[in-house]
Amino acid sequence: MTSLLGPADASDPTALLPTISQATQRLTATARDLADDEWTAPSLCAGWSRGHVLAHVALNAEAIAGVVRGLAGEGAPMYPSAEVRDADIATLAAAGPNAVRERLARSSADLSIAFPSLLKASPDSVFEITPGSASRSAGMLALMRLREVEIHHADLDLDATWEAWPESTAAAFIAYDAPGWAGAPVRLVADDVEGATWTIGAPRGEDVLEVRGPLRALAWWISGRDASAVLSSSSGELPKLEA
């Protein structure tokens, strides 16, 4: 795996906070300036309008803040269940643009207050997305939040796109998503950054497929989005993502 990890430094779980703050400011500005009649337009997330995406980002901030504060006690999953999470998103999205804007601003501010307490958490602290799901390191909560803000900002299908991500951010996103790849081994090669490669997946005795293209496009693709226009595969066809 490449050493170009950028901000994904687990030794300081708060190192990303200025980057998160800047990304959040850009997203809240987009939400503020988005005309009310544009909120119901489709996003790049299947089945979700732009309002749904922004509602999700707002509620995600609340969920992560709850996890951060819970690390000092018994802890709790981010969401009671996937069904409850989706229902809450639908409810908030239906409440209208002003309700979502207010919730996004308030929850983001609340999370910024909670995040510094990560420094007091044990390096071995873990959490779950939903009860019974795989445990994740609490040291990755800040990177998780940055992904939510940046990727979903691009999902709004407006001016903000993955092409504007800093190299370090894109590399950190790949490093975050790579362990979730359950398919045959694939080598990711960023042809615009020297030495930036990742090999993901479990060896199965077959040749390693190579997916090549711009670093930022690789980060967008491994998150489950379409970057086929600028990526190429040694097999002639991009592999289907398996999570």
Side-chain angles (χ1 to χ4, degrees), residues 32-55:
R32 181 192 64 228
D33 297 339
L34 188 62
D36 288 0
D37 60 1
E38 294 182 299
W39 280 66
T40 56
S43 73
L44 298 181
C45 294
W48 275 7
S49 67
R50 288 169 175 159
H52 284 90
V53 170
L54 290 166

Side-chain angles (χ1 to χ4, degrees), residues 46-193:
W48 275 7
S49 67
R50 288 169 175 159
H52 284 90
V53 170
L54 290 166
H56 166 59
V57 178
L59 295 175
N60 173 265
E62 295 178 5
I64 293 180
V67 169
V68 172
R69 293 191 173 105
L71 293 175
E74 296 182 359
M78 282 182 62
Y79 304 102
S81 68
E83 293 76 16
V84 169
R85 186 205 76 149
D86 291 347
D88 288 346
I89 291 170
T91 298
L92 179 55
N98 286 337
V100 178
R101 290 186 185 104
E102 190 278 333
R103 193 77 167 266
L104 177 62
R106 176 159 45 87
S107 64
S108 298
D110 184 56
L111 179 57
S112 70
I113 294 171
F115 255 148
S117 64
L118 279 174
L119 286 173
K120 302 175 184 178
S122 166
D124 298 326
S125 296
V126 296
F127 70 99
E128 298 173 332
I129 301 295
T130 55
S133 63
S135 295
R136 303 187 182 209
S137 169
M140 300 303 288
L141 280 164
L143 180 55
M144 176 185 289
R145 180 57 184 174
L146 181 61
R147 284 185 74 261
E148 292 290 331
V149 174
E150 290 283 41
I151 291 177
H152 284 313
H153 199 171
D155 281 331
L156 295 177
D157 199 20
L158 294 166
D159 292 337
T161 71
W162 52 266
E163 295 170 296
W165 293 342
E167 285 184 357
S168 59
T169 294
F173 289 172
I174 294 174
Y176 179 92
D177 282 321
W181 177 271
V186 175
R187 181 180 298 110
L188 306 181
V189 179
D191 56 17
D192 57 344
V193 179

